[in-house]
């Protein structure tokens, strides 16, 4: 029994120490391993060499550095040695160079970045970081180094502290298209009019010829396109695929094309298609492009939007009265759904995600969504609760990205 118990603890510890940048162990695990009694391993941060120096605290409370040649029997003691809630909340902070600080009891939680609008990753030449491509690393191939945008908040755990985010804290996240008339601040919380609250749209595209049409639809049919910013992870083969930000005609000859008019609201992160390892990795990169917008929307790269979609989806979100609500569905077939003259929806039905069952595959059973039922809804005036979430379309407050960012290490996961 003792051996089984130790094996179980070791397995849980290993799971919580998967090499995710800035990962923080759970407090109760830290209590088991405090003071150097039991130690299983330190956190790993990505760098050009695959490992960067990571500070940890040994059983005597001394701060040490973990180098690339030493990864065994180290304990970072996230609970500060005394297991108190206060120390658990104060640990795992980061300074400006991204390295971890420990034993910083009493420090203020790191500030949320100043809300800016408009904003673009093109203005962040010095704010990218090098990471080792996870797919090649897993296959023991030579490292492929990718320069990627840094997260808007490098260490989200330092903000939410592994707790449900309070409303006061949530209201500090989200920019406004119109600044406060008195302070000129773009961070206005719910004082920002719903029609001026910014929206970040993340699109993961793999060699999708409809991507530019999707982006065109987003801007052309938004009631207030000035408050919309689109971030595309465009996985293409150069010379064979059209980039998502390339208009059909030169902007000099037709500047009224949406990709020309709103090019300052469009960020495209291009990835060579052979480096694609599934939608989770691409959407992780999309989360890295988020820059504090009030709302976060995730969409497939082959979607046609309806007229005034931004006003419509924001009103649905706010109708929930729930700061943590996430709207999601399988989108309706485009055929016969939109009036070509007005861009308005012709449907009065709503797809509900409830048709899901276990499917056998490769010796395991896993949940798989089937075709979802769509009918005239019985619940009106607000969204309807459903048990599942769909990656093809999701809408929420922007702090979704801060609370639950996509994992960097989930290659080739797709069910749809």
């Amino acid at each position: 029994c003792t051996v089984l118990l130790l094996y179980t603890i070791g397995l849980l510890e290993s799971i919580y120490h998967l090499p995710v940048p800035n990962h923080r162990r759970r407090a109760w695990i830290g209590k088991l391993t405090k003071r150097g009694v039991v130690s299983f391993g330190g956190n790993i941060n990505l760098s050009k060499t695959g490992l960067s120096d990571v500070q940890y605290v040994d059983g005597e409370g001394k701060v040490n550095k973990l180098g690339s040649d030493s990864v065994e029997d180290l304990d970072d003691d996230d609970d500060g040695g005394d297991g108190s809630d206060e120390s658990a909340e104060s640990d795992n902070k980061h300074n400006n160079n991204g390295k971890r600080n420990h034993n910083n009891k009493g420090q203020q939680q790191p500030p949320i970045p100043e809300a800016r609008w408009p904003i673009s990753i093109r203005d962040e030449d010095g704010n990218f970081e090098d990471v080792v491509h996870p797919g090649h690393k897993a296959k023991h191939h030579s490292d492929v180094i990718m320069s990627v945008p840094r997260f808007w908040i490098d260490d989200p755990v330092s903000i939410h502290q592994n707790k449900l985010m309070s409303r006061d804290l949530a209201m500090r996240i989200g920019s406004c298209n119109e600044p406060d008339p008195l302070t000129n601040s773009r961070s206005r919380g719910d004082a920002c009019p719903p029609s001026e609250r910014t929206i970040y749209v993340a699109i993961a595209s793999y060699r999708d010829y409809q991507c530019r049409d999707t982006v065109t639809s987003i801007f052309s049919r938004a009631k207030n396109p000035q408050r919309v910013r689109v971030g595309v992870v465009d996985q293409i083969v150069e010379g064979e695929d059209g980039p998502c930000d390339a208009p059909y005609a030169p902007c000099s000859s037709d500047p009224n094309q949406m990709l020309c008019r709103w090019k300052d609201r469009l960020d495209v992160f291009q990835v060579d298609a052979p480096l694609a390892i599934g939608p989770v990795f691409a959407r992780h990169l999309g989360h890295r492009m988020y820059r504090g917008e009030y709302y976060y929307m995730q969409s497939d790269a082959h979607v046609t939007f309806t007229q005034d979609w931004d006003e419509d989806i924001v009103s649905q979100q706010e109708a929930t009265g729930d700061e943590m609500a996430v709207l999601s569905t399988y989108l309706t077939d485009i055929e016969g759904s939109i009036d070509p003259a007005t861009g308005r929806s012709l449907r009065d039905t709503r797809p509900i995600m409830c048709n899901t069952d276990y499917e056998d595959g490769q010796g395991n059973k896993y949940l798989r969504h089937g075709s979802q039922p769509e009918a005239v809804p019985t619940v009106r005036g607000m969204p309807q609760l459903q048990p599942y979430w769909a990656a093809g379309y999701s809408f929420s407050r922007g702090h979704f990205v801060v609370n639950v960012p996509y994992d960097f290490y989930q290659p080739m996961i797709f069910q749809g």
Side-chain angles (χ1 to χ4, degrees), residues 19 21 27 48 73 85 135 137 144 152-153 206 232 260 280 282 305 314 322 372 383:
K48 287 185 178 180
D73 296 329
D85 290 339
K137 195 74 173 175
V144 173
W152 181 61
I153 294 177
Y206 179 78
V232 180
C260 302
V280 176
F305 286 74
V314 166
D322 188 343
Q372 302 303 315

Side-chain angles (χ1 to χ4, degrees), residues 163-414:
K163 300 176 181 178
L164 180 64
M165 185 175 283
S166 69
R167 177 171 172 78
D168 287 343
L169 180 57
M171 283 294 105
R172 294 174 56 199
I173 298 176
S175 55
C176 189
N177 182 46
E178 291 294 334
D180 185 281
L182 298 178
T183 65
N184 207 39
S185 172
R186 299 277 182 176
S187 180
R188 302 176 61 183
D190 55 5
C192 179
S195 61
E196 298 296 332
R197 297 173 185 175
T198 57
I199 301 172
Y200 170 63
V201 184
I203 297 175
S205 175
Y206 179 78
R207 308 192 68 181
D208 199 320
Y209 70 95
Q210 294 178 297
C211 183
R212 69 181 88 182
D213 299 325
T214 298
V215 175
T216 295
S217 173
I218 289 172
F219 285 114
S220 65
R221 287 183 170 165
K223 186 168 186 178
N224 182 10
Q226 291 187 350
R227 53 114 161 234
V228 177
R229 174 174 160 262
V230 179
V232 180
V233 179
D234 202 16
Q235 302 161 110
I236 63 173
V237 175
E238 283 196 88
E240 295 183 19
D241 306 318
C244 193
D245 57 348
Y248 287 105
C251 291
S252 57
S253 61
D254 186 3
N256 289 323
Q257 296 172 94
M258 292 297 106
L259 296 180
C260 302
R261 290 181 59 186
W262 300 106
K263 60 183 179 182
D264 63 327
R265 299 291 201 276
L266 174 60
D267 281 331
V268 174
F269 185 80
Q270 188 170 314
V271 178
D272 290 339
L275 292 178
I277 52 173
V280 176
F281 173 64
R283 288 171 177 143
H284 166 89
L285 297 176
H287 272 195
R288 284 177 169 270
M289 298 164 71
Y290 169 78
R291 286 299 177 265
E293 285 84 358
Y294 199 95
Y295 296 109
Y296 165 72
M297 185 170 81
Q298 178 174 300
S299 172
D300 278 343
H302 36 266
V303 173
T304 301
F305 286 74
T306 57
Q307 188 62 44
D308 298 342
W309 63 266
D310 54 328
E311 180 182 62
D312 184 18
I313 195 65
V314 166
S315 67
Q316 292 185 51
Q317 176 76 19
E318 296 304 318
T320 67
D322 188 343
E323 184 68 24
M324 297 296 173
V326 179
L327 308 184
S328 184
T329 190
Y330 272 11
L331 298 177
T332 302
D333 192 334
I334 186 64
E335 295 297 328
S337 294
I338 300 178
D339 187 325
T342 65
R344 301 285 179 180
S345 175
L346 297 173
R347 292 187 179 267
D348 192 27
T349 55
R350 176 189 294 167
I352 297 296
M353 295 195 63
C354 59
N355 183 24
T356 300
D357 204 348
Y358 285 97
E359 180 176 286
D360 291 328
Q362 299 180 351
N364 299 303
K365 285 190 174 183
Y366 52 87
L367 283 174
R368 188 178 185 92
H369 299 315
S371 298
Q372 302 303 315
E374 181 172 350
V376 176
T378 56
V379 176
R380 292 183 173 273
M382 68 176 298
Q384 182 171 335
L385 286 173
Q386 62 184 14
Y388 303 112
W389 176 83
Y393 185 82
S394 176
F395 189 89
S396 63
R397 282 280 274 111
H399 50 64
F400 179 102
V401 180
V402 177
N403 282 300
V404 283
Y406 269 103
D407 199 309
F408 188 61
Y409 295 98
Q410 291 189 350
M412 299 304 181
I413 293 181
F414 176 78

